[in-house]
């Protein structure tokens, strides 16, 4: 057996350790057994999840389930991932204006956003494979509840295309592709979804999109229509998407982005007649496992394990999915944090942000309580965003406090996988961070969503959470 290549070793240093933490839940705490650190190159695809015909497998972009040539996809280190994550958070905070004298939330759903200079991108952890064109070309796209426009790189790459794992989509070889003119009502939708009007240059009648992200990445190209295939029996004709001709930035091997936001241009809204603005997902606990992204509710009802809380709409960021976070519990005891701390900031749930951001007071209270309960374990130095880190190398098992989010009368207990962020075998950190200002929006990130079944019922005005939705 040959030596593992350097890119796999880098992946294992980044993510492998968490794949070998065997987690067991007990009343009042979780017990973590630190087992073998033998790296595994095997993807363990899960068959757990809804038996839906419109369901896609969710993969971590840097895990073995992505099935890519790791030599062609640069794996960022943790510092880079967390810097990208902070860039996304900064972009979200700047995107949501502080509407002095009025509530951040309103009950009605809006379809437009104020103009903005940059949208959030971040590290884009979770990927699905979706079909585009006729004949179908499979493309792996990052899915993002904080974005609306779906786009992919397209031949002939008139300006620039970065390296991606899948062959670049060529619209000239698809019989179902069509361009959109500047005169089309569809072209006018771009301003609310991207913050930029189509320039509609005189040299072409084609509608042009221009979308920029907070980290400096961008995609520019032709706004077009195409057949989108979720599964062979779930097809969307005349799907609006961006066919990128100039794409640069930190996209790192993916073919583009699948927008799951609330704007009219997102797949959720474009497929509203077919799937009723209903979708769900479960993010796997480690990069060597898979989760799912499902559209519609053809099973006739959600699991009894899923409990719902109202979906709220941000007055100055209507594309985001808002929640009414009112408190945090540790080992079943609610922390002494005034509910006004959360209502002042407001809360969104976001699949593209890695680390949950809390109001400064809330994070300080959580950190203090967590450290007291973990006082029997040796702490180690801080790391990037994290100031509460431990070295468990001398422990066979570790009991960690159970953390829960309170949404009004609904308590959602995080899975053990959503409590820690594992940097290495010698540094495991509390996977939360504090915002800089009390007015900054609270963001529930994807680390804290791991293994939860998260259900978005937009028409019903609610979001649901269920335990152990995937592996």
């Amino acid at each position: 057996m040959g030596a593992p290549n350097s890119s796999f070793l880098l992946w294992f240093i980044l993510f492998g350790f968490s794949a070998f933490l065997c987690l067991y839940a007990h009343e009042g705490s979780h017990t973590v057994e630190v087992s073998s650190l033998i790296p595994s190159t095997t993807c363990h695809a899960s068959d757990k999840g809804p038996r839906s015909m419109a369901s896609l497998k969710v993969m971590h972009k840097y895990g073995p389930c992505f099935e890519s040539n790791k030599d062609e996809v640069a794996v960022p280190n943790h510092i880079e991932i967390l810097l990208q994550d902070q860039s996304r958070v900064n972009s979200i905070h700047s995107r949501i204006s502080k509407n002095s004298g009025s509530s951040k939330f309103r009950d009605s759903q809006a379809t437009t956003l104020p103009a903005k200079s940059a949208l959030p991108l971040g590290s884009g952890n979770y990927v699905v494979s979706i079909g585009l064109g006729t004949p179908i070309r499979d493309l792996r796209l990052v899915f993002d509840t904080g974005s609306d426009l779906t786009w992919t790189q397209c031949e002939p790459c008139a300006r620039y295309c970065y390296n991606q794992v899948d062959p670049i989509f060529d619209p000239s070889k698809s019989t179902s592709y069509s361009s959109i003119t500047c005169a089309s009502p569809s072209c006018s939708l771009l301003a609310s979804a991207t913050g930029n009007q189509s320039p509609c240059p005189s040299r072409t009648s084609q509608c042009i999109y221009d979308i920029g992200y907070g980290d400096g990445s961008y995609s520019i190209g032709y706004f077009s229509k195409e057949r989108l295939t979720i599964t062979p029996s779930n097809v969307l004709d005349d799907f609006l998407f961006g066919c990128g001709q100039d794409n640069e930035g930190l996209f790192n091997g993916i073919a583009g982005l699948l927008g799951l936001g609330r704007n009219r241009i997102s797949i959720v809204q474009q497929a509203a007649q077919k799937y009723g603005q209903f979708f769900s997902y479960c993010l796997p606990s480690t990069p060597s496992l898979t989760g799912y992204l499902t559209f519609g509710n053809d099973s006739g009802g959600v699991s009894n394990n899923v409990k719902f809380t109202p979906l709220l709409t941000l007055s100055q960021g209507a594309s985001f999915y808002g929640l009414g976070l009112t408190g945090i519990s540790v080992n079943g005891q609610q922390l002494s944090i005034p509910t006004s701390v959360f209502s002042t900031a407001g809360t969104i749930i976001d699949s593209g942000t890695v680390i949950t951001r809390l109001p400064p007071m809330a994070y300080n209270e959580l950190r203090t309580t967590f450290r007291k309960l973990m006082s029997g374990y040796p702490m180690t130095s801080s790391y990037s965003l994290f100031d509460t880190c431990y070295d468990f190398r001398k422990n066979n098992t570790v009991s960690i406090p159970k953390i829960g989010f309170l949404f009004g009368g609904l308590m959602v207990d995080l899975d053990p996988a959503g409590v820690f962020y594992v940097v290495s075998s010698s540094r495991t950190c509390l996977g939360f961070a504090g915002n800089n200002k009390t007015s900054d929006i609270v963001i529930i990130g994807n680390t804290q969503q791991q293994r939860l079944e998260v259900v978005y019922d937009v028409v019903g005005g609610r979001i649901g959470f269920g335990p152990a939705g995937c592996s």
Side-chain angles (χ1 to χ4, degrees):
M1 179 176 177
N5 63 40
S6 59
S7 52
F8 170 74
L9 289 175
L10 179 56
W11 172 86
F12 177 68
I13 291 170
L14 286 172
F15 303 110
F17 181 70
S18 62
F20 305 101
L21 292 179
C22 300
L23 304 175
Y24 304 91
H26 296 276
E27 185 176 359
S29 66
H30 299 297
T31 297
V32 180
E33 182 179 341
V34 183
S35 57
S36 173
L37 294 181
I38 300 173
S40 171
T41 60
T42 304
C43 170
H44 300 281
S46 173
D47 59 0
K48 189 173 183 179
R51 301 300 180 186
S52 171
M53 296 181 66
S55 192
L56 299 169
K57 181 172 68 174
V58 169
M59 304 160 282
H60 197 290
K61 188 168 67 172
Y62 301 122
C65 298
F66 188 49
E67 299 173 350
S68 67
N69 184 344
K70 295 294 193 300
D71 291 331
E72 294 180 2
V73 179
V75 180
N77 59 43
H78 283 296
I79 292 292
E80 292 169 333
I81 290 172
L82 295 171
L83 285 174
Q84 291 173 25
D85 195 48
Q86 187 59 51
S87 177
R88 179 183 179 95
V89 168
N90 292 343
S91 179
I92 291 173
H93 286 163
S94 65
R95 182 179 173 186
I96 299 172
S97 66
K98 308 305 183 289
N99 204 358
S100 178
S102 64
S103 173
K104 275 190 170 63
F105 294 102
R106 62 175 181 267
D107 294 330
S108 61
Q109 179 180 348
T111 57
T112 60
L113 292 172
K116 48 204 173 292
S117 59
L119 301 176
L121 180 61
S123 55
N125 308 50
Y126 294 101
V127 176
V128 293
S129 181
I130 205 160
L132 192 66
T134 307
I136 296 172
R137 295 290 181 262
D138 290 327
L139 300 170
R140 278 168 280 192
L141 308 177
V142 164
F143 74 90
D144 185 6
T145 60
S147 298
D148 299 301
L149 176 69
T150 295
W151 64 266
T152 187
Q153 297 195 111
C154 287
E155 296 286 2
C157 298
R159 291 291 299 273
Y160 181 79
C161 285
Y162 57 84
N163 291 331
Q164 68 176 54
V165 174
D166 302 306
I168 294 174
F169 180 71
D170 189 344
S172 69
K173 296 180 180 179
S174 172
T175 59
S176 51
Y177 174 86
S178 62
S179 60
I180 294 174
T181 66
C182 290
S184 168
S186 297
C187 189
S188 65
L189 298 175
L190 285 172
S192 64
T194 68
N196 297 308
Q197 294 276 5
S198 174
C200 288
S202 57
R203 60 184 175 84
T204 176
S205 62
Q206 286 182 282
C207 181
I208 294 176
Y209 77 92
D210 178 352
I211 188 165
Y213 299 96
D215 63 0
S217 302
Y218 63 85
S219 177
I220 302 170
Y222 300 119
F223 196 42
S224 310
K225 292 182 180 179
E226 184 56 283
R227 172 172 289 182
L228 187 77
T229 300
I230 298 173
T231 68
S233 59
N234 286 269
V235 177
L236 302 175
D237 287 319
D238 295 326
F239 180 77
L240 300 172
F241 81 109
C243 202
Q245 297 297 316
D246 186 8
N247 318 279
E248 299 191 42
L250 303 176
F251 303 115
N252 203 14
I254 60 169
L257 186 144
L258 182 67
L260 294 175
R262 299 171 69 181
N263 185 275
R264 288 172 59 187
I265 214 171
S266 78
I267 187 173
V268 177
Q269 298 296 328
Q270 288 195 59
Q273 287 190 340
K274 191 176 185 68
Y275 300 121
Q277 299 179 56
F278 192 104
F279 69 98
S280 62
Y281 59 73
C282 184
L283 308 179
S285 58
T286 77
S288 62
L289 299 172
T290 60
Y292 60 82
L293 169 64
T294 296
F295 294 97
N297 189 26
D298 60 15
S299 60
V302 297
S303 166
N304 291 331
N305 293 327
V306 175
K307 306 301 180 185
F308 287 90
T309 187
L311 166 64
L312 304 179
T313 303
L314 276 70
S315 58
Q316 296 300 321
S319 188
F320 291 112
Y321 293 91
L323 292 172
L325 182 65
T326 56
I328 299 173
S329 72
V330 178
N331 283 353
Q333 298 296 313
Q334 188 171 345
L335 300 180
S336 298
I337 307 168
T339 57
S340 60
V341 169
F342 299 103
S343 61
T344 297
T347 302
I348 63 170
I349 183 170
D350 182 40
S351 69
T353 298
V354 178
I355 301 300
T356 290
R357 300 309 203 277
L358 297 172
M361 179 183 178
Y363 176 71
N364 291 339
E365 187 70 21
L366 173 63
R367 176 185 59 191
T368 298
T369 303
F370 193 86
R371 285 182 175 181
K372 287 179 180 178
L373 294 172
M374 294 287 291
S375 60
Y377 300 100
M379 293 189 68
T380 187
S381 58
S382 300
Y383 186 89
S384 185
L385 302 174
F386 306 124
D387 58 11
T388 301
C389 301
Y390 299 88
D391 183 351
F392 295 137
R393 285 179 296 177
K394 295 183 179 179
N395 300 95
N396 293 322
T397 61
V398 178
S399 294
I400 62 173
K402 184 184 294 183
I403 297 176
F405 290 145
L406 182 64
F407 302 99
L410 174 65
M411 179 62 72
V412 177
D413 288 326
L414 303 185
D415 190 86
V419 174
F420 280 135
Y421 186 98
V422 181
V423 176
S424 68
S425 60
S426 62
R427 183 182 283 114
T428 302
C429 302
L430 177 63
F432 298 76
N435 280 326
N436 292 326
K437 297 183 291 186
T438 58
S439 60
D440 286 339
I441 197 87
V442 177
I443 305 173
I444 298 177
N446 60 46
T447 295
Q448 281 62 49
Q449 297 178 52
Q450 288 178 7
R451 294 200 73 218
L452 293 176
E453 181 179 2
V454 185
V455 180
Y456 295 73
D457 180 4
V458 180
V459 172
R462 58 183 190 163
I463 293 182
F465 299 90
C470 55
S471 300

